Amino acid sequence: MSNQSVQTVSTSNDKFKVALAVVAMIAGVVGFFYLKGQNKPALMCAAALVAGLVVAIALLWASATGRDFLNFAKESVRETKKVVWPTRKEAMQITGIVFAFVLVMAMFLWGTDKVLEFLLYDVILGWKQ
């Protein structure tokens, strides 16, 4: 027999908090666009959006599922900072290589199309265009 403890995935209380957080986030976004449609100052529109997001984050932080998600988001940002991004010169070189490859492939496909067109219409079918 195993003596391992069983961990519950989430409670209905946590699900309710997450649902409220989603509603708060949506309310912030809707408030932003509603105020924007009423020609209110940009600061007021942004405040509505930020308020909705802050309330949503607070509600998420109050639930175990939300805390796990927010910790995952923090770790994702931390991992993104570890990525070694190419320099501008390297990015331009890679972009040039991609464009050159696309150009060569386009010419190859055009040439293949013309050869097959000649063989099919002129040689096999005998149609002169």
Side-chain angles (χ1 to χ4, degrees):
M1 235 183 189
S2 176
N3 290 339
Q4 295 176 351
S5 63
V6 177
Q7 180 182 0
T8 57
V9 176
S10 64
T11 64
S12 61
N13 192 21
D14 280 347
K15 290 179 183 178
F16 181 70
K17 289 176 185 175
V18 170
L20 278 178
V22 169
V23 169
M25 182 182 65
I26 291 171
V29 171
V30 168
F32 172 82
F33 285 109
Y34 176 77
L35 292 173
K36 197 72 162 169
Q38 298 293 323
N39 293 325
K40 298 294 181 184
L43 187 61
M44 185 183 294
C45 298
L49 179 63
V50 170
L53 293 178
V54 167
V55 169
I57 290 172
L59 286 169
L60 278 177
W61 191 255
S63 72
T65 306
R67 274 193 303 277
D68 290 344
F69 175 75
L70 291 174
N71 286 332
F72 172 75
K74 285 181 196 175
E75 289 181 29
S76 296
V77 169
R78 191 175 314 131
E79 287 296 322
T80 304
K81 290 180 181 177
K82 292 180 183 178
V83 173
V84 179
W85 299 101
T87 63
R88 179 173 174 83
K89 181 181 176 185
E90 291 171 337
M92 295 299 284
Q93 288 174 345
I94 292 169
T95 303
I97 290 170
V98 169
F99 279 131
F101 179 76
V102 167
L103 182 66
V104 168
M105 282 303 296
M107 291 187 311
F108 170 75
L109 291 173
W110 176 81
T112 304
D113 181 52
K114 290 301 174 186
V115 167
L116 290 174
E117 179 184 348
F118 171 74
L119 289 175
L120 182 64
Y121 289 121
D122 293 346
V123 176
I124 295 175
L125 295 176
W127 296 352
K128 298 290 183 188
Q129 288 188 2

